Amino acid sequence: MTMMTQQPLDQEDEDMLVLQTELVEGPIALDGTPPVEGPRPMEVVGQAEVVSTAENQPVDETQASRFTWAIENFSRQNSKKLYSDVFMVGGYKWRVLIFPKGNNVEHLSMYLDVADSPILPYGWSRYAQFSLAVVNQVHNKFTIRKDTQHQFHGRESDWGFTSFMPLGDLYDPSKGYLVNDTCVIEADVAVRKVVDYWTYDSKKESGYVGLKNQGATCYMNSLLQTLYHIPYFRKAVYHMPTTENDMPSGSIPLALQSLFYKLQYNETSVATKELTKSFGWDTYDSFMQHDVQELNRVLCEKLEDKMKGTVVEGTIQKLFEGHHMNYIECINVDFKSTRKESFYDLQLDVKGCQDVYASFDKYVEVERLEGDNKYHAEEYGLQDARKGVLFIDFPPVLQLQLKRFEYDFMRDTMVKINDRYEFPLELDLDREDGKYLSPDADKSVRNLYTLHSVLVHSGGVHGGHYYAFIRPTLSDQWFKFDDERVTKEDLKRALEEQYGGEEELPQTNPGYNNAPFKFTKYSNAYMLVYIRESDKEKIICDVDEKDIAEHLRIRLKKEQEEKEDKRRYKAQAHLYTIIKVAREVDLLEQIGKDTYFDLVDHDKVHSFRIQKQMPFNIFKEEVAKEFGIPVQYQRFWMWAKRQNHTYRPNRPLTPQEETQSVGQLREVSNKNHNAELKLFLEIEIGVDLNPLPPPDKTKDDILLFFKLYDPEKEELRYVGRSFVKSFSKPVEIIPKLNEMAGFNPDEEIELYEEIKFDPSVMCERLEKNASFRSSQIEDGDIICFQKLHQSLNVEKYRHPDVPSFLEYVKNRQIVQFRSLDRPKEDDFCLELSKLHTYDDVVERVAQKLDLDDPSKIRLTPHNCYSQQPKPHPIKYRVADHLLDMLIHYNQISDILYYEVLDIPLPLLQGLKTLKVVFHHATKEEPVVHNIRLPKQSTVGDVLDELKTKVELSHPNAELRLLEVFYHKIYKIFPLTEKIENINDQYWTLRAEEIPEEEKNLGPLDRLIHVYHFTKETAQNQMQVQNFGEPFFLVIREDETLEDVKVRVQRKLQVPDDEFAKWKFAFLSLGRPEYLDDSDIVSSRFQRKDVYGAWEQYLGLEHPDTSPKRPFTANQNRHTYEKPVKIYN
């Protein structure tokens, strides 16, 4: 499962654009850019050259080739997109797809495309690492090359870069990418042949089975396989108390027991839906990729809690819990502080570490506390000290989480660390005389570990795929557990190939170009599990059926037998035909309850599974046994789907047809080979309630079905069927219909023909004195009737006649309404019509809520996929009908969310609400205010409104509005700026009083930005990190830093001893130049305001000790994922 989401990032190094720093995506992007059309012939005459085809290579080796495509007359190409010639790599057909004028962006868009995807079999997939390049034909070093990897499949048959390079650079003749109007494209493609998994049997080939992926649950599957293959853990799970009355979907222990049992005894891959349901997850959670490390902690904590008070209490601690000691030891006095802490896993640094041992060295590295950072040692005061961590004991099962993801402060985003990082098969944590151990550690325990499993993440920071390499018995044989597939693997594949770093792939035709292809390896180890040698006999123990509770064995064996029956049933399906037989009793039961249109729901009638070769006459004997109707009294009718989409009995079977096999009959009735044979069984019942032979039917006899409508009860029911002569008239059968309905013989009734209901209802009055033939009535038609209108008080009925009732039924919609602030809870439901207008719907909701003004109701639609409210509410009267509010892509929801506003929605929509943080001149704590004004209002109006809500330092104080982002001031809003386009979702809007000193600036005075900062090390570089509240400061022409510091200290009210430790620097584009007290501050700053002035500032360097205030939460614009939660 590969998931990518767009992450806009600035990129300075144009030569080295790889996955972490460039969005890699298929043309069908998540930002809504239009999908690429299906493959079509290339519309360009281009010179294509394939360097090699890499045929007849061993299946387990990577095959690589370079394809070069020279596109002539490039600037004169009018096509939106161009395809290259097809080229072969690894036995597969590929081609390059480009958008010369960009795929809805001002960049060249370029992708690698599976050339034969439309004709490949269902479920195909292939994996490739590749790079795409636009060759600089003047200076090769300026060639732009980007590389990535992808698992291509039916839904993602192309992959690459929507923003490959700016069109301005591409089409600039001086840049060297177009020479003689020819553009040269290169594609380096490396393909590793994989097993044909459609015919692959994991159990047969490996002895193990995999887990099915629910959408984005590969991260969970790899963890579950790792835990399952720790037999001691599996045994403990089996011994957790459960009962036969528990349901797996509501019990985590039972769901996990069930899953482990199936992994142990199933022949095919196992589903995880019961387990995720027991977590309390809905479909949306299963499609949200999470973090393995987080899930591991949450699951183990949940199991530890569930094991309390049972025979397996403490198992999680026994297996996974270790302890380390945090210490601080003074150097010059005899004082030491220690604190013992437990851990279930260890997070090891990858960046800057060559291997696991280097990470452990870094973990126990001693930090010196000295200078400004001295330690306060109780009675000894501030002291130089050493601070560090040592291990008291390690657990039998050691889980190492490798920190492959880090926050990059320079680019303001998470990045994945793909550096090479080695890990040994045997890990000796007693090395170098126990350097990692505390003095209190038990030296008699030998901390020698052997590698049990390697969890791998393949992909980038915004998505990817997880799988695991495990050796279940600690033998030399490794296995790869990749969702449903389990394969045998060698040691190299499990270890060395998961170290990360770069991979060099040799050309398959070295004579052409000796330079190897270099690819960043995006697949690398993410979590390691080691088992202590001295504990492996206890942990790799036998687990058999006697460890499984009897009720669980019985339940799961029964499930297995039912599954096997279904499998056999499916395997033999081609030998059988399903015959569905509808009878009059079905029409009586269904019409008016679940069915209103046509006659019957065929899924609810009796069905027979009959061998195709059985003669139909023999089948009739089966029917006689089942229904007690002798063969001679049975007459079967074929059903037919009419052009108007109705489905009615069409004609009786002929005697000749009844001699055929049921398989032949089914083919006559329906050409679809998977279809069932649907029949209507006509039975005549005499006055003594015994069956009679069916009456003779001539071509003049028409079989009609009758429904009776009662407008008082709003009830439609089936009352019978009858043959009529085609030349007779409806008026002649009125007495018979009155008898069917239980009316007086002379009751006047109205007749309607039910013609169709899809896409709209058609039900028309039937002329009583015209013949059935002239009214085009035929076999299988439905006549609805009711008492004549004149005898009814029409006004008092909602649906006074058959057509209006059927129209109501067709469009009836039960809607569940939920309060928007409680989106998981049904509040109330209303029966509405899909044709109801916006006003109709809000009026009904207002009635339900006892609200006088329906315009104060605001509705929000439901997202059927995420099971959440959509982000934007429905605007006033924008949706014409209820159906428009409920439809979500190709699905119709039955959920709407409501809010009760304090003002009418039309008025609110004309207003803009801004969240403004007010900083008082003297009070420390800022206050958030929501300012709501008409959209055409200005910033000046906002500040005037704010003045009515806040306390000012003096009545004539002037305010200004600032845009603050990541602790920098980016803008002072002009008072005349319209508020309609101001965004308060990403930036903080800060209002403050304008200090008096700023109002009277002299010609040589400067207003500068002042920001707080610390320096942090990231990726082996010192980087500046801003924090706290930025502010403006007036500096005079000849003012020294010493003078400025006095005013800064007074403004910020910092105590002398603390302020003495602060450092002052001039910063431009993130680079600090430290200032001396005698420096003239104004000389560092530009004389005039320029765009980007916020990047030149006076920096105050000191530790960040301020608490994080809630209103700054929206300053982090990148949210990566929801936390993992297990609710039950």
Side-chain angles (χ1 to χ4, degrees):
M1 161 85 198
T2 304
M3 298 171 63
M4 305 292 300
T5 54
Q6 186 161 357
Q7 180 68 24
L9 291 172
D10 295 329
Q11 179 53 248
E12 294 177 4
D13 185 356
E14 284 293 333
D15 290 336
M16 289 295 293
L17 290 181
V18 292
L19 186 60
Q20 301 99 303
T21 55
E22 173 68 23
L23 166 65
V24 183
E25 59 182 359
I28 304 172
L30 295 179
D31 61 0
T33 53
V36 174
E37 302 150 19
R40 57 189 173 119
M42 185 177 66
E43 299 167 318
V44 62
V45 179
Q47 300 300 317
E49 175 186 4
V50 178
V51 175
S52 62
T53 56
E55 293 175 356
N56 304 317
Q57 300 259 349
V59 295
D60 60 342
E61 290 191 8
T62 301
Q63 301 169 31
S65 296
R66 171 167 291 168
F67 170 75
T68 304
W69 179 21
I71 309 171
E72 298 173 351
N73 303 316
F74 189 82
S75 64
R76 296 196 290 278
Q77 296 296 331
N78 294 320
S79 302
K80 179 176 168 65
K81 59 181 180 175
L82 304 175
Y83 285 104
S84 74
D85 286 346
V86 174
F87 58 97
M88 300 283 291
V89 183
Y92 297 139
K93 293 180 178 180
W94 306 91
R95 59 185 175 177
V96 176
L97 163 63
I98 68 164
F99 288 70
K101 301 293 192 295
N103 185 10
N104 298 310
V105 291
E106 291 296 314
H107 286 69
L108 174 72
S109 305
M110 183 153 54
Y111 312 91
L112 182 65
D113 178 60
V114 176
D116 52 351
S117 62
I119 60 170
L120 291 175
Y122 177 78
W124 69 270
S125 70
R126 62 185 61 161
Y127 172 81
Q129 289 177 290
F130 63 94
S131 69
L132 300 171
V134 175
V135 175
N136 191 298
Q137 300 165 60
V138 177
H139 298 290
N140 191 54
K141 69 176 183 176
F142 295 123
T143 291
I144 296 177
R145 189 178 306 277
K146 300 183 183 182
D147 69 288
T148 185
Q149 58 173 4
H150 188 57
Q151 186 82 33
F152 293 85
H153 51 80
R155 293 189 306 280
E156 290 173 353
S157 60
D158 44 41
W159 198 255
F161 306 87
T162 295
S163 300
F164 186 84
M165 67 177 292
L167 294 177
D169 292 347
L170 175 63
Y171 286 95
D172 184 343
S174 67
K175 292 288 178 73
Y177 298 108
L178 279 187
V179 174
N180 298 325
D181 205 19
T182 297
C183 178
V184 179
I185 306 288
E186 283 183 354
D188 290 343
V189 182
V191 176
R192 174 172 279 148
K193 284 247 185 171
V194 294
V195 181
D196 176 9
Y197 286 113
W198 289 97
T199 59
Y200 183 79
D201 183 333
S202 289
K203 185 80 167 190
K204 182 179 174 185
E205 299 294 334
S206 70
Y208 299 100
V209 297
L211 291 168
K212 292 176 181 171
N213 193 325
Q214 288 187 49
T217 53
C218 51
Y219 71 100
M220 180 181 73
N221 290 350
S222 57
L223 177 65
L224 290 172
Q225 288 282 16
T226 303
L227 294 173
Y228 167 81
H229 286 292
I230 300 172
Y232 190 95
F233 179 86
R234 190 193 329 159
K235 189 186 280 257
V237 166
Y238 282 152
H239 283 267
M240 292 176 76
T242 53
T243 72
E244 61 267 24
N245 298 323
D246 291 345
M247 290 303 295
S249 58
S251 162
I252 293 174
L254 184 57
L256 205 52
Q257 288 171 350
S258 173
L259 184 85
F260 282 4
Y261 180 92
K262 289 170 185 174
L263 282 175
Q264 195 161 345
Y265 295 107
N266 266 25
E267 295 298 315
T268 56
S269 58
V270 179
T272 56
K273 280 189 179 175
E274 276 187 348
L275 182 66
T276 54
K277 277 184 183 174
S278 76
F279 290 171
W281 290 3
D282 56 22
T283 309
Y284 181 65
D285 291 295
S286 297
F287 276 89
M288 176 68 72
Q289 194 169 78
H290 290 298
D291 179 78
V292 168
Q293 301 173 3
E294 192 179 359
L295 177 66
N296 187 26
R297 290 202 188 103
V298 173
L299 181 59
C300 284
E301 283 171 13
K302 189 62 69 170
L303 286 173
E304 184 181 341
D305 186 54
K306 300 277 184 188
M307 287 177 176
K308 284 178 181 170
T310 74
V311 292
V312 288
E313 181 173 358
T315 297
I316 301 294
Q317 292 97 316
K318 283 179 199 167
L319 280 176
F320 303 118
E321 188 177 51
H323 298 89
H324 51 54
M325 178 186 73
N326 294 291
Y327 67 88
I328 298 177
E329 186 176 20
C330 293
I331 294 170
N332 302 316
V333 296
D334 184 16
F335 183 86
K336 185 174 183 179
S337 168
T338 62
R339 186 177 74 254
K340 180 179 177 180
E341 289 184 355
S342 65
F343 63 86
Y344 282 174
D345 56 46
L346 293 174
Q347 292 213 17
L348 300 184
D349 283 331
V350 170
K351 193 71 182 173
C353 295
Q354 179 185 341
D355 57 18
V356 170
Y357 288 122
S359 296
F360 268 99
D361 291 346
K362 192 171 180 181
Y363 205 99
V364 300
E365 203 170 56
V366 176
E367 178 188 354
R368 292 184 72 91
L369 305 179
E370 55 193 10
D372 292 344
N373 197 25
K374 286 185 178 182
Y375 174 64
H376 190 276
E378 295 179 6
E379 67 266 27
Y380 297 104
L382 292 174
Q383 292 289 329
D384 292 341
R386 285 186 290 266
K387 177 184 177 184
V389 176
L390 288 170
F391 291 92
I392 298 169
D393 56 62
F394 292 105
V397 179
L398 179 63
Q399 300 181 109
L400 303 179
Q401 311 283 4
L402 308 183
K403 290 160 75 172
R404 284 279 180 192
F405 296 97
E406 282 190 3
Y407 188 76
D408 186 324
F409 291 101
M410 290 295 283
R411 283 178 288 174
D412 177 27
T413 186
M414 293 292 286
V415 294
K416 185 180 177 193
I417 310 300
N418 289 303
D419 299 357
R420 182 178 175 86
Y421 181 87
E422 298 178 9
F423 46 92
L425 193 61
E426 281 204 338
L427 178 68
D428 187 355
L429 294 178
D430 290 333
R431 68 196 286 258
E432 296 182 27
D433 199 26
K435 64 187 288 189
Y436 307 130
L437 299 174
S438 79
D440 302 333
D442 183 353
K443 298 294 195 297
S444 67
V445 176
R446 179 75 175 97
N447 292 302
L448 181 65
Y449 286 84
T450 189
L451 186 62
H452 172 265
S453 44
V454 180
L455 275 71
V456 176
H457 178 265
S458 174
V461 69
H462 301 298
H465 182 59
Y466 291 91
Y467 47 89
F469 291 92
I470 304 172
R471 47 177 186 157
T473 62
L474 299 181
S475 68
D476 292 337
Q477 182 61 64
W478 287 85
F479 297 88
K480 180 182 179 184
F481 293 83
D482 187 354
D483 287 338
E484 291 93 338
R485 305 161 195 156
V486 187
T487 51
K488 289 184 176 180
E489 302 290 352
D490 59 23
L491 179 64
K492 182 183 178 193
R493 185 70 58 84
L495 261 73
E496 291 175 40
E497 293 194 15
Q498 310 315 320
Y499 289 164
E502 281 194 334
E503 182 174 17
E504 285 194 0
L505 300 172
Q507 288 265 5
T508 48
N509 187 345
Y512 175 80
N513 184 343
N514 288 321
F517 299 148
K518 279 193 175 183
F519 291 99
T520 301
K521 293 178 73 172
Y522 297 108
S523 299
N524 34 55
Y526 182 61
M527 175 176 165
L528 307 172
V529 178
Y530 283 91
I531 292 178
R532 190 156 49 201
E533 278 284 339
S534 57
D535 292 301
K536 71 179 183 183
E537 296 300 326
K538 179 178 74 175
I539 289 164
I540 309 297
C541 56
D542 290 332
V543 184
D544 51 35
E545 284 216 344
K546 69 176 183 295
D547 291 301
I548 303 164
E550 186 181 6
H551 76 85
L552 186 64
R553 289 204 303 271
I554 293 168
R555 180 203 292 256
L556 295 174
K557 278 182 178 172
K558 187 179 176 186
E559 275 182 26
Q560 197 62 31
E561 286 164 7
E562 288 171 357
K563 191 174 177 183
E564 188 58 29
D565 288 344
K566 282 183 185 174
R567 189 195 63 76
R568 270 197 303 272
Y569 185 91
K570 199 172 178 181
Q572 296 172 358
H574 65 288
L575 302 174
Y576 289 83
T577 288
I578 301 297
I579 304 178
K580 293 191 170 178
V581 178
R583 296 172 292 155
E584 199 157 32
V585 66
D586 297 311
L587 278 59
L588 282 163
E589 275 181 15
Q590 292 187 25
I591 292 172
K593 295 186 180 71
D594 306 317
T595 302
Y596 291 90
F597 301 101
D598 272 353
L599 292 170
V600 75
D601 179 349
H602 291 273
D603 289 335
K604 295 178 181 176
V605 304
H606 196 95
S607 63
F608 298 82
R609 188 170 187 252
I610 303 296
Q611 284 195 331
K612 290 179 179 177
Q613 300 306 314
M614 179 184 285
F616 190 80
N617 281 324
I618 304 299
F619 164 67
K620 289 175 76 172
E621 293 175 10
E622 294 283 322
V623 173
K625 286 181 204 167
E626 186 66 35
F627 296 146
I629 306 295
V631 168
Q632 65 270 28
Y633 300 144
Q634 301 173 16
R635 178 156 64 191
F636 287 92
W637 289 66
M638 288 281 208
W639 292 81
K641 187 166 189 177
R642 298 179 175 180
Q643 285 186 331
N644 64 9
H645 305 300
T646 57
Y647 204 59
R648 309 284 176 79
N650 181 43
R651 62 174 181 81
L653 290 180
T654 64
Q656 183 186 354
E657 285 174 328
E658 292 198 358
T659 64
Q660 296 177 351
S661 69
V662 295
Q664 290 169 311
L665 263 183
R666 195 225 45 205
E667 287 171 18
V668 169
S669 74
N670 197 320
K671 301 299 181 191
N672 183 344
H673 291 294
N674 296 320
E676 303 143 335
L677 177 57
K678 293 171 183 168
L679 299 171
F680 175 68
L681 175 57
E682 176 198 349
I683 307 163
E684 290 294 323
I685 301 292
V687 290
D688 58 357
L689 301 181
N690 287 319
L692 300 172
D696 292 336
K697 181 184 186 312
T698 68
K699 64 178 182 179
D700 285 328
D701 291 310
I702 302 172
L703 178 62
L704 298 181
F705 295 86
F706 298 99
K707 298 178 184 177
L708 171 67
Y709 175 56
D710 182 343
E712 188 174 353
K713 296 179 180 176
E714 292 186 0
E715 179 182 273
L716 185 73
R717 63 188 176 92
Y718 176 74
V719 290
R721 60 179 169 76
S722 180
F723 284 101
V724 300
K725 296 294 183 183
S726 62
F727 48 78
S728 65
K729 299 173 182 178
V731 70
E732 297 169 26
I733 64 166
I734 285 177
K736 185 166 186 178
L737 294 182
N738 279 331
E739 184 185 343
M740 285 181 180
F743 296 162
N744 294 326
D746 56 352
E747 181 73 57
E748 287 192 73
I749 59 174
E750 282 188 294
L751 306 181
Y752 300 87
E753 182 194 358
E754 180 190 315
I755 300 170
K756 66 168 191 167
F757 59 91
D758 186 24
S760 57
V761 171
M762 185 182 285
C763 181
E764 296 180 350
R765 185 177 275 107
L766 190 65
E767 179 54 54
K768 295 178 190 174
N769 291 306
S771 69
F772 287 108
R773 180 181 293 155
S774 64
S775 297
Q776 298 184 326
I777 300 297
E778 59 186 45
D779 278 323
D781 278 350
I782 300 169
I783 307 297
C784 301
F785 67 98
Q786 66 178 93
K787 289 182 179 180
L788 193 64
H789 270 320
Q790 282 86 330
S791 61
L792 296 171
N793 183 355
V794 178
E795 298 290 322
K796 68 177 186 179
Y797 300 121
R798 287 199 309 165
H799 313 294
D801 56 24
V802 174
S804 64
F805 177 72
L806 291 180
E807 193 74 51
Y808 153 70
V809 169
K810 166 75 176 173
N811 294 298
R812 179 171 53 187
Q813 177 70 51
I814 307 295
V815 180
Q816 302 286 343
F817 285 90
R818 299 175 178 178
S819 174
L820 189 62
D821 56 6
R822 296 189 307 278
K824 290 281 187 184
E825 301 171 24
D826 287 337
D827 204 343
F828 57 88
C829 63
L830 294 175
E831 183 186 283
L832 303 170
S833 167
K834 291 172 189 164
L835 301 180
H836 271 160
T837 64
Y838 175 90
D839 287 350
D840 294 333
V841 175
V842 293
E843 193 172 321
R844 289 289 305 280
V845 174
Q847 285 173 9
K848 180 70 181 178
L849 297 172
D850 291 328
L851 190 68
D852 292 335
D853 186 356
S855 68
K856 290 185 179 178
I857 298 291
R858 180 162 66 178
L859 301 174
T860 299
H862 179 69
N863 184 320
C864 298
Y865 300 109
S866 68
Q867 297 296 310
Q868 302 278 337
K870 288 188 185 179
H872 302 295
I874 298 166
K875 290 191 174 177
Y876 183 71
R877 288 182 175 167
V878 164
D880 292 332
H881 297 102
L882 174 64
L883 185 60
D884 302 318
M885 304 180 199
L886 299 178
I887 202 150
H888 180 66
Y889 295 110
N890 59 344
Q891 295 189 43
I892 295 178
S893 162
D894 64 349
I895 296 170
L896 284 174
Y897 303 88
Y898 72 89
E899 301 165 85
V900 178
L901 305 172
D902 59 338
I903 60 173
L905 179 57
L907 181 58
L908 180 65
Q909 285 179 186
L911 302 178
K912 170 90 173 181
T913 302
L914 290 180
K915 186 182 290 185
V916 178
V917 181
F918 179 67
H919 286 243
H920 195 275
T922 56
K923 294 180 180 176
E924 191 172 317
E925 192 63 33
V927 181
V928 179
H929 294 275
N930 287 307
I931 307 295
R932 194 158 66 187
L933 291 171
K935 289 180 180 177
Q936 296 308 308
S937 303
T938 64
V939 169
D941 298 328
V942 171
L943 296 176
D944 288 343
E945 176 70 14
L946 187 63
K947 285 178 183 177
T948 67
K949 296 172 177 279
V950 301
E951 180 188 340
L952 301 174
S953 61
H954 60 90
N956 298 322
E958 293 180 40
L959 300 183
R960 65 182 167 203
L961 188 67
L962 312 176
E963 179 183 275
V964 177
F965 186 58
Y966 277 108
H967 315 286
K968 294 180 180 180
I969 299 169
Y970 280 77
K971 181 177 182 179
I972 302 176
F973 287 98
L975 294 177
T976 56
E977 183 166 335
K978 294 279 193 295
I979 67 171
E980 186 169 6
N981 297 318
I982 294 179
N983 189 336
D984 64 348
Q985 297 302 306
Y986 297 109
W987 334 115
T988 296
L989 301 180
R990 185 173 103 190
E992 63 186 19
E993 292 185 18
I994 302 174
E996 288 301 319
E997 66 172 3
E998 291 184 28
K999 295 179 186 177
N1000 304 304
L1001 287 179
L1004 300 178
D1005 293 340
R1006 298 281 296 122
L1007 185 65
I1008 65 168
H1009 295 242
V1010 185
Y1011 305 155
H1012 305 269
F1013 77 95
T1014 60
K1015 286 193 301 184
E1016 297 188 6
T1017 304
Q1019 301 193 2
N1020 297 325
Q1021 292 183 342
M1022 290 300 290
Q1023 294 177 354
V1024 166
Q1025 178 72 6
N1026 294 105
F1027 66 93
E1029 296 300 336
F1031 59 94
F1032 288 115
L1033 188 69
V1034 175
I1035 50 172
R1036 316 296 179 198
E1037 182 187 13
D1038 297 321
E1039 200 171 15
T1040 64
L1041 177 63
E1042 188 173 19
D1043 300 328
V1044 170
K1045 284 166 75 172
V1046 171
R1047 290 195 291 122
V1048 169
Q1049 183 178 3
R1050 186 168 61 240
K1051 181 180 180 72
L1052 300 179
Q1053 298 179 356
V1054 183
D1056 290 346
D1057 58 341
E1058 186 181 332
F1059 192 74
K1061 300 175 188 175
W1062 288 23
K1063 296 178 183 175
F1064 285 67
F1066 167 74
L1067 286 96
S1068 177
L1069 298 174
R1071 289 184 289 274
E1073 295 176 34
Y1074 289 94
L1075 302 176
D1076 295 327
D1077 283 354
S1078 59
D1079 285 343
I1080 304 298
V1081 177
S1082 62
S1083 65
R1084 301 300 178 107
F1085 289 88
Q1086 298 176 54
R1087 283 290 173 196
K1088 61 181 190 303
D1089 288 328
V1090 294
Y1091 182 77
W1094 58 83
E1095 290 298 354
Q1096 285 196 344
Y1097 60 90
L1098 180 65
L1100 315 180
E1101 185 184 0
H1102 60 96
D1104 179 8
T1105 56
S1106 59
K1108 299 293 179 283
R1109 295 193 177 101
F1111 70 84
T1112 61
N1114 66 351
Q1115 295 210 359
N1116 185 3
R1117 49 189 167 154
H1118 310 310
T1119 52
Y1120 290 98
E1121 57 183 41
K1122 289 166 50 178
V1124 178
K1125 289 185 181 176
I1126 296 179
Y1127 300 94
N1128 293 332

